[in-house]
Amino acid sequence: MLLTFSMVNSLGSGTWIAPLSPFEARRFGQNPLVKGGRSIIAVSSPEYDVETRTLTVNYDGVLTLNIGEIEEAVLVDLNPQDVLKAQRQDTDVLHPSAADIDFIAACKSHLDEGMTRIIQQVLSGVRKHHDDTLIEGEGRKWIASPHNFMAITIQNRNKQFLVSVKARPEQKSFRHIHLKQSRPPYWEFHLNSPSQIEETIQAILDSANY
């Protein structure tokens, strides 16, 4: 059985945005998260028609990961069974969690695949310890909620991320990331290279334990 979404806009790399109410999103859920922003739905075998702006998917392969508050949903080409398996296991597979899919969709719309993969690897490391949701603020700045231990700004002009973390002066010695003082107790650094992934994860985890 097929299901067709209408008035769909592509964000590239298997991600789309479509009008969909929170009520409609509940039809496809199996204990989904209920957090703000857009609903997030995993779909399988998607076929997108650019001319008609329709996305046709396998009905049995639709799974709601998050029920939002607005009349819009992010549709992501992820096998729902793989998502459920990843939720049950500790895995390094880069299937973004429901807490991150809205953010990853924004990354794909502003940055290239390489930069998006870098931030996915960072979040994959962070999510092994913390599951705060990234909430969109102003100027493409996404803030960890409810504990506010990190903020990530998508800098589309410079094709990089600006990461903000809590840190003490004695904690700011890293080889690949260069922290600069922001509003105390926050420090900021740019993330634009795979060589920075490990230290970025550590800086964020240190911030969570500040």
Side-chain angles (χ1 to χ4, degrees):
M1 186 178 190
L2 299 178
L3 173 68
T4 299
F5 295 92
S6 302
M7 300 176 63
V8 179
N9 291 318
S10 174
L11 297 178
S13 301
T15 309
W16 302 267
I17 288 182
L20 192 77
S21 71
F23 176 79
E24 292 173 308
R26 289 182 183 276
R27 291 189 297 157
F28 313 114
Q30 295 182 17
N31 300 317
L33 294 175
V34 181
K35 296 186 177 181
R38 300 183 181 94
S39 296
I40 302 167
I41 299 175
V43 298
S44 62
S45 304
E47 293 186 9
Y48 181 58
D49 189 313
V50 178
E51 293 186 0
T52 62
R53 293 173 56 205
T54 57
L55 183 72
T56 302
V57 302
N58 184 341
Y59 187 93
D60 294 330
V62 180
L63 176 66
T64 296
L65 305 177
N66 176 67
I67 297 174
E69 299 175 338
I70 64 176
E71 304 284 311
E72 193 171 61
V74 177
L75 310 175
V76 185
D77 183 9
L78 293 174
N79 185 320
Q81 294 306 314
D82 289 344
V83 174
L84 291 173
K85 183 178 179 181
Q87 289 174 343
R88 294 192 295 264
Q89 299 177 353
D90 182 15
T91 177
D92 288 326
V93 176
L94 294 181
H95 291 326
S97 73
D100 299 327
I101 288 182
D102 220 6
F103 169 69
I104 294 301
C107 292
K108 289 180 177 180
S109 69
H110 293 291
L111 302 174
D112 61 27
E113 183 177 346
M115 286 304 303
T116 300
R117 186 169 181 84
I118 286 172
I119 203 64
Q120 283 184 275
Q121 289 180 282
V122 168
L123 292 175
S124 178
V126 173
R127 292 302 177 220
K128 293 178 181 179
H129 305 275
H130 301 281
D131 60 356
D132 279 35
T133 299
L134 285 170
I135 302 297
E136 185 175 10
E138 297 181 355
R140 296 179 299 280
K141 185 175 184 178
W142 296 70
I143 302 169
S145 175
H147 297 111
N148 199 28
F149 59 85
M150 70 172 171
I152 304 174
T153 301
I154 302 170
Q155 296 189 324
N156 59 328
R157 185 170 298 178
N158 297 326
K159 304 302 179 185
Q160 62 185 0
F161 298 99
L162 180 66
V163 182
S164 177
V165 295
K166 296 177 183 178
R168 297 180 177 88
E170 64 271 19
Q171 292 179 309
K172 67 182 185 68
S173 177
F174 292 98
R175 180 179 179 184
H176 298 290
I177 61 176
H178 306 286
L179 280 71
K180 294 183 178 180
Q181 181 78 63
S182 181
R183 181 185 301 175
Y186 290 96
W187 297 72
E188 297 178 335
F189 61 92
H190 290 108
L191 170 62
N192 51 32
S193 169
S195 65
Q196 298 173 294
I197 291 172
E198 184 175 343
E199 290 186 351
T200 298
I201 294 171
Q202 187 59 57
I204 292 172
L205 294 182
D206 288 347
S207 178
N209 294 325
Y210 180 87

